[in-house]
Every structure is written in C-alpha cells, then in structure tokens.
Amino acid sequence: MFIINCPYCGERDQSEFSCGGEAHIVRPKQPTELSDDEWAEYLFMRKNIKGVQFERWNHAHGCRKWFNMVRDTSNDKIHAVYKMGEKPPVI
Amino acid sequence: MKNKYSIFSLIKNAFSQHENWKQAWGSPEPKKEYDAVIVGGGGHGLATAYYLAKKHNMKNIAVLEKGWIGGGNTGRNTTIIRSNYLWDASAGLYDHALKIWENLSQELNYNIMFSQRGVMNLAHNLQDVRDLKRRTHANRLNGIDAVWLDTKQVKEFCPIINTSPDIRYPVLGGTLQRRAGTARHDAVAWGYARGADAMGVDIIQNCEVKGIKRNGDQVEGLETTKGFIKTKKIGVVAAGHSSVIANMAGLKLPLESKPLQALVSEPVKPIIDTVVMSNAVHAYVSQSDKGELVIGAGTDAYISYTQRGSHDVVEGTLKAILELYPIFSRMKMLRQWGGIVDICPDASPIISKTNIKGLYFNCGWGTGGFKATPGSGDLFAHTIANDEPHKLNAAFNLNRFVSGDLVDEHGAAAVAH
C-alpha cells in the first residue's frame, strides 16, 4: 500500500487505482499472421521483475485515466509516473 | 531412519531430560556435482526430493534453500487442505494429494497434525448457489466427497455463523467436503526434510541461486552463494520467485507475483471446529490447535515482492468476517504477515518440462499451493526422473499457454484467486 501521484489528479491512495501489469507490450501489427507461440508470448508471458519495473496503472476510482509508472517491486518505491504515449524515463 | 519417533523413544529420551535427541536433518556443504538439484526448500521442494529418493532411487540429490527450511510460503499459508475443484484435471491433481495426506504422518513417522475437520464453502447469492451445486455434482462424478447444505444445515454444522436473512451477503447455503481439513504446515516441511535426509538427500540452507549455466539447450549447473554446483537436472520450486530463477535461464513464464496475506487472533477456547470459506466476500477462517483464529485475506492487485500486503485488503476481509461471525467482534488480532504467490493466468499450477533440457518448473500455485504439497512433490519427482509428466500432471504443462488448452479454475475453484 502506497501513495500514487496521478499525473492528472495528484497524490492519492493506492487503493483508488488498479494495476494493468507490465507496460510497453506492443500489440501485434498483423494479428492474423501470428503463430501460436507468438500469441502465447504476447498474451501470457511476463517478465514479472523483482526490482525496477515499468507498468500500467488506471485511476479507477478517480479520473479513470490510464498512465505509466516505474516502480521497484522489491520495496514498492515509485521512481517515476508518466502519461500514456510519453517516452519512458531512463532509470 | 536414524531416530525413529515412537512412544518408546519418547520414554527413553525422558530419562536423559530430552537432551540427546539427534538433529532431524544435517547441514552439509554442497558437493561438486549432483544427479539433480531442487531449488527451493519449502514443502513442495522437499517433497520432490523425498519422492525422487524414495520412488525413483535418485540418492545423489540436493535441495537448495536461500533462507531456512519452511520459512517461505510453507510457513505463511493458512494450512487448508481440500480437493473440491471443478475441472477433471484439477480434481485428479488435488485429490491425489489429499489421498497422500491421509497417511502422511505414518509414512514420514512425523506427526503433521492432519485434521479432517471438513471445509465448508458458503454461497451468498443465486449465482453462487448454482455454481456451488454444479461443483458438488462435478466433484461426485470424480469420486470426491461433496454435499450441498441449505442455510439451516449450514447453521447446524457451524452454529456461530450469522444466517440472518437481513445481512448484506446472506448465507443461502454451502458445500461441505468432510475429508478436507488442515495440517500443521511447519511439520510438513520438517517431516519431508527429515525423511529426505535419512535417504541421503543434502539439504543446504542459506544457499541462494545466483545463475543457471547452460550449454546450448542443456543445463550444466548452478551458480550459488556457496559456489558452482554441477548438475544435469534442475527442478525449480521457488513459488513467488519462480520468474526470478526463470529469468536467469533466459526463460519467461506466464506468472505474476503478488503478496497474499493472513492473520491470526489471540488464542481463545475452541469455538469453530471446521474451516469455513466464502468466495463472494473473500474471507476464510479456521481455528488452530493453539486456539488462534487463522484468517486468510486476498492478494494485493499489483506485482510486488515485499512480503507485506496492504492494510485495505485486511480491512475488507475483517469486515466480512465480522458480518458472518458477530461473536468475533471483540477479538484482538495478534499477527499479520504476507507471502509472495505466483499466479498463472488460468489460476492453475505448472508442473512441467521446459524447452531447456534438464530444467523443470513446479510453480504457479498461486493462492492455494499448500493443500497440494505431497501430490505436487510426487508428480514433480516423476516428471524430473522420467523426463515425462505423470498422467495426473500432463494437463499442467507450460505448453498449454501456447495450445490454449487452459485449466481455467478462476472462479471455479471454490474461492476467488
């Protein structure tokens, strides 16, 4: 449990947000040409990092907007928050 | 076994003030090479080593544990054992485990305090009633005992439940598996450690794996904090840290690791003699032999390795507990803790080979691995020894995420994950 600085609303309790998992997984451009292995990789396989991870969050009980966050999963420390479409910061 | 436990050994040792009991397992330094190495000294890992030695005659094996035996999720769960899963594959897997539980104390010569006190799952709305009735029918077709109880029978079975129709989530009935129950979780790890040690397995504590060495598609050994260990077979049973180990071998798994919490109250006299679980309000409770209420909460909804868990999750669970059991309103909670659980997209485990030769994974148990400990160890040992899955864990392979043949127990498994 921690405080998240929503890029639209400011600091709010984590319980207002929902986590959308690993960020920057690009949706396949040609879905019809994908093999089963490539589908599995896109849909299911995750890095599940212990350490600094880039992830998507949604302010579900607030502005309901999606944004990205860089968080250390070993201690829940947040390094950066940035809007969708912005370039990920170098951590 | 070096030190067989019995009433006679107890009496004999009483004469020397119980100062001459031998250590239940040793603390060896790692050898240079093993036939197989198990990564993770929890219940599942130790059981795997035990059955590798016992049923597959592999004696030159080691279990590596970065902390101490049973200090991870084995010692952090709420000790519930049941097998009333919906799908055939899950029913086969969990009931295989339950059948081993029933004779495990005798087999290990170690009292694991297995208690078949029954597990009751409550229904709070019409959909719950339909789902749970369907599950009892599926269970019985698979030879697993299950009965449906109406509200009056629920109250008779567990009189402290509030069955008043005017609560927010009224009790409309429930299912009961009488063969289900609890066991002492530490004892399970200790019993398997002692049994494996007696057959020559090296149990190496405080030894963390730092890397996996590969030669092309074949594993060659492990870099550890106690030096390099050569081996051709590695069985990883690292629970919440499975992805960390997988990443060392350049492998991605379909897992997300999240904190799952539990808490215990101050000890009181016996008040609840069964296990009651509720999916809709996500609260479950039983009472330990020491008298503490053992309460399980849900997972945090984000990836974290912090072994803590959020306060709002506990708060939600306790609200549900208080509505169902008003008698607990003045109980004080003594301890709260978190463990890191690795959750698969279909909420079913993975007991599988990988596309790297000699690397096997037993993971993805999510929020409900303890109940499967003996069966998981038995089937994983079979998979490692034969390089082929047993028919009971064939469905739980890694390839199901490619083929789409998932074992979707989300919501079907009697509790939410």
Side-chain angles (χ1 to χ4, degrees):
Chain A
M1 197 172 180
F2 37 83
I3 304 284
I4 294 174
N5 191 6
C6 172
Y8 304 97
C9 310
E11 291 192 345
R12 299 292 176 87
D13 195 287
Q14 168 262 313
S15 61
E16 288 186 16
F17 297 82
S18 66
C19 182
E22 198 177 317
H24 306 301
I25 297 175
V26 182
R27 186 175 166 78
K29 286 215 168 59
Q30 304 284 352
T32 49
E33 288 167 22
L34 240 48
S35 69
D36 289 350
D37 280 311
E38 286 165 327
W39 268 122
E41 181 73 19
Y42 169 68
L43 285 174
F44 298 125
M45 301 303 164
R46 295 291 178 264
K47 290 184 201 145
N48 195 22
I49 291 167
K50 183 181 187 180
V52 175
Q53 170 163 280
F54 292 73
E55 49 196 27
R56 301 175 304 169
W57 284 77
N58 178 243
H59 195 179
H61 300 285
C63 63
R64 302 187 65 191
K65 286 196 174 109
W66 284 91
F67 58 93
N68 289 318
M69 191 153 101
V70 188
R71 186 173 58 97
D72 190 329
T73 59
S74 65
N75 56 18
D76 285 345
K77 196 176 165 221
I78 297 168
H79 290 292
V81 172
Y82 55 101
K83 291 179 184 171
M84 283 289 167
E86 285 180 2
K87 234 181 128 186
V90 182
I91 304 289
Chain B
M1 202 156 285
K2 281 185 243 172
N3 212 2
K4 192 166 160 53
Y5 298 151
S6 66
I7 182 75
F8 304 107
S9 69
L10 196 64
I11 294 166
K12 189 176 142 223
N13 278 279
F15 287 109
S16 54
Q17 275 73 47
H18 296 291
E19 286 176 356
N20 293 327
W21 289 101
K22 290 197 194 83
Q23 275 197 330
W25 61 87
S27 306
E29 283 302 307
K31 290 184 216 159
K32 288 214 158 38
E33 185 173 356
Y34 289 99
D35 294 338
V37 173
I38 305 301
V39 179
H44 290 245
L46 293 162
T48 305
Y50 175 84
Y51 291 114
L52 273 174
K54 190 179 172 200
K55 293 173 88 169
H56 305 283
N57 206 28
M58 289 177 73
K59 307 283 160 127
N60 184 29
I61 54 180
V63 177
L64 307 184
E65 167 56 47
K66 87 172 162 182
W68 66 96
I69 293 303
N73 290 356
T74 301
R76 291 166 191 265
N77 58 73
T78 48
T79 80
I80 298 167
I81 295 162
R82 60 185 179 85
S83 65
N84 54 352
Y85 279 70
L86 177 67
W87 301 115
D88 295 351
S90 316
L93 177 66
Y94 290 102
D95 210 51
H96 176 61
L98 184 47
K99 284 179 188 134
I100 303 177
W101 280 115
E102 286 175 329
N103 292 309
L104 196 57
S105 288
Q106 287 76 11
E107 184 185 337
L108 294 176
N109 177 233
Y110 203 96
N111 186 6
I112 57 159
M113 296 164 74
F114 181 54
S115 158
Q116 290 176 298
R117 58 184 68 185
V119 169
M120 190 159 66
N121 295 100
L122 301 179
H124 299 279
N125 54 50
L126 194 57
Q127 191 60 45
D128 277 359
V129 172
R130 289 178 182 141
D131 287 346
L132 292 187
K133 278 188 177 167
R134 178 193 179 204
R135 188 163 52 71
T136 57
H137 298 318
N139 289 159
R140 285 154 79 162
L141 286 171
N142 277 318
I144 293 168
D145 69 305
V147 286
W148 169 258
L149 307 179
D150 62 23
T151 309
K152 194 166 153 270
Q153 290 166 315
V154 166
K155 184 79 178 170
E156 277 165 13
F157 188 69
C158 184
I160 60 169
I161 293 183
N162 179 7
T163 51
S164 156
D166 62 358
I167 62 175
R168 176 67 184 84
Y169 297 102
V171 177
L172 301 184
T175 65
L176 175 63
Q177 185 183 17
R178 289 184 193 275
R179 283 164 65 232
T182 59
R184 176 156 187 217
H185 50 196
D186 301 307
V188 177
W190 298 336
Y192 273 122
R194 176 169 167 266
D197 179 86
M199 289 184 286
V201 174
D202 280 358
I203 296 166
I204 301 158
Q205 301 182 68
N206 298 309
C207 179
E208 187 177 351
V209 171
K210 290 291 189 186
I212 291 177
K213 195 178 166 206
R214 280 168 62 175
N215 181 6
D217 277 347
Q218 167 70 48
V219 295
E220 292 212 310
L222 295 142
E223 297 289 351
T224 77
T225 48
K226 294 196 176 188
F228 182 73
I229 299 172
K230 204 174 155 190
T231 183
K232 288 252 184 296
K233 286 190 175 199
I234 301 171
V236 183
V237 206
H241 283 69
S242 297
S243 297
V244 177
I245 307 279
N247 290 343
M248 290 175 189
L251 192 73
K252 268 206 262 179
L253 294 173
L255 296 175
E256 289 192 321
S257 295
K258 294 171 179 179
L260 175 68
Q261 300 178 75
L263 58 165
V264 294
S265 72
E266 59 190 331
V268 289
K269 287 192 174 170
I271 184 73
I272 178 165
D273 62 357
T274 184
V275 182
V276 185
M277 313 180 73
S278 169
N279 184 359
V281 298
H282 208 289
Y284 46 101
V285 64
S286 63
Q287 191 172 17
S288 74
D289 291 357
K290 285 186 284 183
E292 302 152 326
L293 296 179
V294 183
I295 295 169
T299 52
D300 284 356
Y302 52 88
I303 294 171
S304 181
Y305 287 85
T306 51
Q307 289 191 327
R308 283 197 290 266
S310 297
H311 184 70
D312 55 323
V313 174
V314 173
E315 216 173 12
T317 292
L318 288 179
K319 274 181 196 161
I321 292 277
L322 287 189
E323 188 172 70
L324 278 175
Y325 312 94
I327 194 175
F328 295 153
S329 66
R330 279 181 288 172
M331 292 281 284
K332 291 185 176 69
M333 292 298 140
L334 274 193
R335 289 180 291 125
Q336 171 275 350
W337 63 92
I340 303 304
V341 297
D342 44 330
I343 301 176
C344 266
D346 60 355
S348 284
I350 296 165
I351 312 171
S352 179
K353 296 166 35 163
T354 63
N355 52 19
I356 300 167
K357 268 196 84 179
L359 184 63
Y360 306 86
F361 270 86
N362 183 353
C363 58
W365 290 96
T367 59
F370 175 72
K371 67 174 80 70
T373 306
S376 154
D378 182 33
L379 299 172
F380 195 42
H382 180 100
T383 307
I384 293 173
N386 299 304
D387 198 37
E388 278 300 323
H390 187 278
K391 70 177 191 314
L392 285 175
N393 68 309
F396 298 95
N397 60 44
L398 249 177
N399 198 50
R400 73 179 190 265
F401 298 97
V402 177
S403 70
D405 191 9
L406 303 177
V407 188
D408 189 5
E409 284 289 354
H410 260 300
V415 291
H417 284 76

